[in-house]
Amino acid sequence: MAPAISISLNDSSDLTDFVINQGHGVKGLSEMGIKALPGQYIQPMEERVMTKIEPRESIPVIDMSRWADPQVANSICDAAEKWGFFQVVNHGVPIEVLDNVKKATYGFFGLPAEEKRKYSKENSPSNSVRFGTSFTPQVEKALEWKDYLSLFYVSEEEAAALWPSVCRDDILAYMNSSKFLINHLLQVLMKRLNVNEIDETKQSLLTGSVRTNINYYPICPNPELTVGVGRHSDVSTLTILLQDSVGGLYVRGNEGEDSWIHVPPINGAIVINIGDALQIMSNGRYRSVEHRVTANGSSNRISVPIFVNPRPQDMIGPLPETLANGEKPIYKQVLYSDYVKHFFRKAHDGKDTVDFAKI
């Protein structure tokens, strides 16, 4: 249902008011049936054009049904080293849970603008709950064609009190159902780094804070002129991503600077990617890879990433076990909250954030 409102798409303050302040987001623009992309969303040519898409390359798809098989463990670690991305099937998260969280995502974004606006930066009762659009609109030269709700997990009690009721229970079920998968992946990945046991301190360092986003990429009038999400790598330890059947996620390939690989939707699969924090902790052995999302001219798209992170107060750097054989550290120790602030202080700019931690 299109918002019954008229705005001047040429007036930047009018557009900002409609999209951000009134809470309509880009979904509101899309549903007005606009025929041309507003200028604020037109990305520079180098950001919107992928010069080399690799049709024959694909990231690994790993069947997790035989959890204890050393071959499965090797496949996970090899994928983390070579690609930084892989998909998992038979992962133990019930399909019903995945379907429900997709429905819940549509449920939230289907709310009236005045309801969603209650969770905007200006109105939200907590920093843990944030409805927004694009990435960091204050510092972006061009905006991204995406709306999102970001939920930082503190406790079940806080979630019950503050998260939107239309999606809260299904998102919590998705997070809780993913814990076994997350912990198993980390045990496997740590073993190759000579960390044979994840004690409480390590567990806290790897998974001490968790954030889930629900993302909505509405139909775009000129998808070739903009992006759903610009080039970036995640600041997490691991990201666990549920995507729908539309497609549009691309990851940087191994065939040089301009090579991109599509991550095709597989029904029931979950996409896993290594984040900057784990690249740093592994002293560069595991790769946190640049990725991006294209805009779509014919379908709305949703995705639901869980970002598993260190705690803000944690110092991150190469784990002692990775340096035990005399390997030289390529990253220094950095306060994780400083690293994250550096990431959010600027527009998406590829892999530049990780240089912040380089020696």
Side-chain angles (χ1 to χ4, degrees):
M1 182 76 181
I5 191 164
S6 69
I7 60 163
S8 165
L9 296 179
N10 300 319
D11 182 334
S12 142
S13 61
D14 211 6
L15 187 86
T16 301
D17 184 56
F18 176 80
V19 171
I20 297 174
N21 303 339
Q22 292 179 35
H24 291 284
V26 285
K27 181 175 185 281
L29 286 179
S30 176
E31 290 176 350
M32 286 170 72
I34 58 171
K35 297 288 181 250
L37 189 73
Q40 292 91 321
Y41 292 91
I42 297 177
Q43 294 282 335
M45 187 65 82
E46 66 274 12
E47 291 304 327
R48 53 185 147 112
V49 173
M50 289 183 282
T51 49
K52 191 177 173 192
I53 294 173
E54 301 287 345
R56 289 179 303 280
E57 289 274 28
S58 60
I59 65 166
V61 178
I62 300 172
D63 185 343
M64 303 288 283
S65 53
R66 288 156 65 202
W67 290 96
D69 186 337
Q71 242 179 321
V72 173
N74 282 334
S75 299
I76 290 166
C77 296
D78 291 349
E81 288 185 12
K82 183 181 179 184
W83 299 99
F85 263 83
F86 52 97
Q87 300 203 63
V88 292
V89 294
N90 298 318
H91 40 62
V93 182
I95 296 294
E96 185 187 7
V97 168
L98 302 181
D99 288 343
N100 287 344
V101 84
K102 288 181 200 170
K103 285 181 200 147
T105 300
Y106 276 108
F108 175 78
F109 288 104
L111 292 173
E114 55 272 20
E115 281 299 308
K116 290 182 287 195
R117 193 171 64 226
K118 290 176 183 172
Y119 303 100
S120 69
K121 186 176 180 180
E122 294 68 34
N123 302 322
S124 181
S126 161
N127 281 337
S128 303
V129 183
R130 178 70 46 82
F131 166 64
T133 190
S134 193
F135 175 61
T136 311
Q138 309 84 308
V139 296
E140 289 170 300
K141 291 190 182 75
L143 299 173
E144 299 176 348
W145 193 256
K146 177 188 90 164
D147 298 329
Y148 66 87
L149 176 71
S150 184
L151 301 163
F152 183 79
Y153 181 82
V154 175
S155 65
E156 297 272 334
E157 294 71 32
E158 183 181 281
L162 299 178
W163 292 14
S165 58
V166 69
C167 57
R168 174 190 61 225
D169 294 346
D170 290 316
I171 293 172
L172 285 172
Y174 170 52
M175 291 171 70
N176 288 329
S177 299
S178 301
K179 278 180 186 168
F180 180 82
L181 171 64
I182 291 163
N183 287 331
H184 181 76
L185 289 170
L186 286 172
Q187 278 166 8
V188 165
L189 290 164
M190 287 296 109
K191 212 157 254 185
R192 189 172 281 193
L193 300 179
N194 304 315
V195 178
N196 292 316
E197 192 196 340
I198 300 178
D199 60 17
E200 226 174 289
T201 309
K202 281 268 190 331
Q203 185 74 36
S204 183
L205 179 66
L206 294 165
T207 67
S209 73
V210 181
R211 179 184 294 280
T212 300
N213 281 14
I214 55 174
N215 298 322
Y216 190 93
Y217 304 89
I219 292 170
C220 180
N222 303 106
E224 72 288 353
L225 298 181
T226 191
V227 294
V229 179
R231 299 174 302 114
H232 70 288
S233 60
D234 295 346
V235 293
S236 56
T237 303
L238 277 184
T239 303
I240 286 77
L241 174 79
L242 174 64
Q243 57 171 348
D244 66 11
S245 59
V246 173
L249 172 63
Y250 287 81
V251 304
R252 179 76 81 186
N254 294 321
E255 302 300 315
E257 197 52 27
D258 288 321
S259 131
W260 292 92
I261 298 164
H262 186 232
V263 180
I266 297 172
N267 191 35
I270 292 175
V271 181
I272 308 292
N273 65 280
I274 305 300
D276 291 355
L278 189 51
Q279 176 172 318
I280 291 165
M281 287 187 234
S282 70
N283 203 35
R285 182 161 192 171
Y286 297 140
R287 297 178 62 216
S288 172
V289 172
E290 236 181 296
H291 50 286
R292 62 193 299 166
V293 175
T294 54
N296 191 300
S298 56
S299 299
N300 300 313
R301 177 181 184 266
I302 57 165
S303 68
V304 189
I306 300 173
F307 301 104
V308 180
N309 315 297
R311 297 170 306 172
Q313 68 269 31
D314 285 326
M315 296 296 293
I316 62 166
L319 297 170
E321 293 88 344
T322 64
L323 306 175
N325 60 2
E327 198 178 303
K328 291 272 186 289
I330 56 176
Y331 300 106
K332 59 193 176 193
Q333 297 284 328
V334 294
L335 183 66
Y336 187 63
S337 60
D338 287 347
Y339 189 83
V340 173
K341 277 179 200 149
H342 179 67
F343 178 69
F344 282 104
R345 203 176 282 139
K346 55 198 177 45
H348 280 142
D349 59 0
K351 279 279 295 173
D352 290 357
T353 308
V354 83
D355 291 342
F356 181 75
K358 274 204 169 138
I359 285 177

